[in-house]
Amino acid sequence: TQHTHTHPHHTDGLKTDTVSCTMEAYNEEFDAWFSVTISECSPDGATVLYDGWREPEKLPFDRVRVAVVPPAGWAPSKGEKIEVLAVTADGYPPAWYEAVVSEIDNNYYHIQFPGHDSSFNEIVKLDRTRPQNNGPPLSFDKFQQKNIPILPRDLAPWCSDASFHADFAKRTGLASATVNLERGALVLLGSSEAVEKAELLCDLHFQMLDDRRRVEQAKEKVARQRESATKHASEQEEWMKQGAVETFQVPTKLMGLAIGKGGSNVSQARQLDGVLSVEFEDKGNASTCTVVGKTRADIARARAILEFVEDQVPVPQALIGLLIGKQARNLKRIIDTSDVARITVIRNRQQPSEQQHLEIVGQKPAVEKAKLLIEGNLMLFQQRVEMGDQLRDLNTEMFRLSRGAGVGRGGYGARGRRNAGRGRGPPPVAQAPLGFSPMQSQARSQQAQPSPQGPQQQQQQQ
């Protein structure tokens, strides 16, 4: 049904004592008044915003009005022309239509819409009714506009929606309070008295909005963390059902190493791909670590970072000095190569033993490397000791052979000194030190032997 709207209803304009300044715009398609926000005014009309369901548009002032507020105790009577809030169409917000009260049944009102057949009739309650507007139209001289910079500056994008300022506009009597993002300002629109009042309260309004923003951001952060924790717990539960979970113990005294400075080791393990959870639980002398991952390989990589152990390796007393090395250089080289935390010599001075012990502390793979290096070094040093003994025996044999050359029945040569070992080779001699040659040993032995010459010959030589 086509309708012709003659605009018989207008507001009384913006008054200084106006409390509610909800604005409405007339829509010809529906022949109804929709709630809007005025963003700008000029002599030829006002630009209105439709809260997202329709593009902003500029309308003449006779199509924009202030919504009427029913006076206290008001109720429509039979046959009275009123306005009723009704749904226009799917996807559109409710709007105010002209209507007539045909019957009253207790607190229910039978409504007819002029120009529509009886199929549009409704029965409504009081909260969907209000009186008609009968005032003059809006005009440009009723408005004053002022831009107030929004501080802090990053607050403007957050509060750009007009709903953030609706209560502020209502309290101060503004026609509207909207955000201009290009200017980073709150645009105040209304009577001079309302704009002056709003300008006075703008700073407090911005502080309240900034507080709301911080609270909302904190809520959003908690919501994200809660969602992440819920998802993580769900994934953890699922993987635990599949058996991809391992538990191991770390001695309490090594927990500082396992956690790392500032929790660095735990953070590193949790950030590994495939690792879903890393949790420690203190249980007296040891802490239990539970790692949940997608695969056993993922868990193994996390354990390599977190699993700190201590182990002891026995070392023969004769080799402990060689293993440590001069200024502990050999021991430092083993620590650096294996990447263990430390290696300590455990000395028992009260009960000396043929063995000492090395205590190794570090991540489990590193400790295994250190034990292999220590074992290899001990084998090398033991071999060198045994080879040294063999070399001394060989030097001694070579010394004897060199002294025994030319020995006959009478002893050492034709003019040699006789002794009890006639014909039986050289007499027993001291072992040659490791590294001495047979010739050096022979020369030193000859210097120690008495001269075969007589006393007179010796004196003459002297």
Side-chain angles (χ1 to χ4, degrees), residues 192-421:
S192 58
E193 293 84 357
V195 170
E196 182 179 355
K197 182 179 178 181
E199 185 178 5
L200 182 65
L201 298 175
C202 264
D203 185 56
L204 293 175
H205 176 57
F206 296 151
Q207 291 183 41
M208 293 174 64
L209 287 175
D210 199 24
D211 290 344
R212 283 180 58 188
R213 177 178 63 163
R214 286 196 294 268
V215 172
E216 291 299 325
Q217 289 174 343
K219 288 181 179 178
E220 291 173 1
K221 184 176 181 179
V222 170
R224 289 194 299 269
Q225 291 180 344
R226 186 182 295 115
E227 181 181 359
S228 177
T230 302
K231 180 180 179 182
H232 183 74
S234 177
E235 290 179 349
Q236 179 176 344
E237 183 179 356
E238 184 64 26
W239 287 110
M240 288 183 70
K241 290 179 180 179
Q242 298 180 15
V245 56
E246 291 185 13
T247 300
F248 58 90
Q249 289 189 331
V250 177
T252 301
K253 62 181 180 180
L254 303 183
M255 277 301 298
L257 293 171
I259 295 173
K261 187 176 181 180
S264 57
N265 287 348
V266 177
S267 298
Q268 182 183 356
R270 286 174 175 168
Q271 291 173 4
L272 293 174
D273 290 337
V275 175
L276 302 177
S277 173
V278 175
E279 301 296 337
F280 278 97
E281 182 181 0
D282 188 9
K283 291 187 177 180
N285 295 330
S287 294
T288 300
C289 180
T290 302
V291 181
V292 180
K294 294 182 178 180
T295 65
R296 296 290 179 183
D298 296 331
I299 295 176
R301 289 187 291 115
R303 290 189 65 166
I305 297 173
L306 300 170
E307 191 171 10
F308 275 73
V309 298
E310 58 181 356
D311 203 349
Q312 291 189 5
V313 177
V315 179
Q317 178 68 38
L319 301 180
I320 190 69
L322 294 173
L323 183 63
I324 295 174
K326 188 176 181 180
Q327 297 181 347
R329 290 175 183 171
N330 196 44
L331 198 60
K332 290 178 181 177
R333 180 178 58 82
I334 294 174
I335 292 174
D336 293 340
T337 303
S338 62
D339 201 25
V340 294
R342 61 177 179 266
I343 298 178
T344 307
V345 180
I346 301 177
R347 300 182 183 276
N348 190 345
R349 301 183 184 278
Q350 296 180 351
Q351 296 180 356
S353 172
E354 294 183 357
Q355 282 190 337
Q356 297 283 0
H357 287 83
L358 294 180
E359 184 180 70
I360 310 170
V361 175
Q363 293 163 324
K364 191 172 183 179
V367 170
E368 295 300 323
K369 290 180 183 178
K371 290 170 66 177
L372 286 175
L373 288 172
I374 292 172
E375 181 181 351
N377 276 269
L378 290 177
M379 291 177 62
L380 173 64
F381 296 141
Q382 183 63 41
Q383 176 178 285
R384 286 181 176 176
V385 170
E386 294 174 356
M387 290 181 64
D389 292 341
Q390 294 178 13
L391 286 173
R392 280 192 290 272
D393 292 342
L394 291 173
N395 284 338
T396 300
E397 182 67 20
M398 291 175 65
F399 177 76
R400 288 179 176 177
L401 291 174
S402 63
R403 289 296 304 274
V407 175
R409 183 175 179 80
Y412 295 103
R415 300 179 60 84
R417 181 168 54 89
R418 298 182 181 274
N419 52 49

Side-chain angles (χ1 to χ4, degrees), residues 118-161:
S118 60
S119 64
F120 287 89
N121 293 352
E122 284 193 62
I123 299 176
V124 300
K125 290 186 177 182
L126 181 63
D127 59 356
R128 288 179 55 189
T129 67
R130 71 182 185 186
Q132 285 186 310
N133 285 330
N134 294 303
L138 292 178
S139 61
F140 178 67
D141 59 1
K142 298 289 186 180
F143 290 94
Q144 181 179 347
Q145 180 173 310
K146 192 161 189 176
N147 298 329
I148 307 297
I150 298 176
L151 297 176
R153 294 185 181 277
D154 62 345
L155 180 62
W158 182 81
C159 65
S160 60
D161 192 282

Side-chain angles (χ1 to χ4, degrees), residues 40-48 56-60:
E40 289 185 70
C41 282
S42 61
D44 57 344
T47 302
V48 298
E57 62 178 336
K58 191 169 186 177
L59 299 175

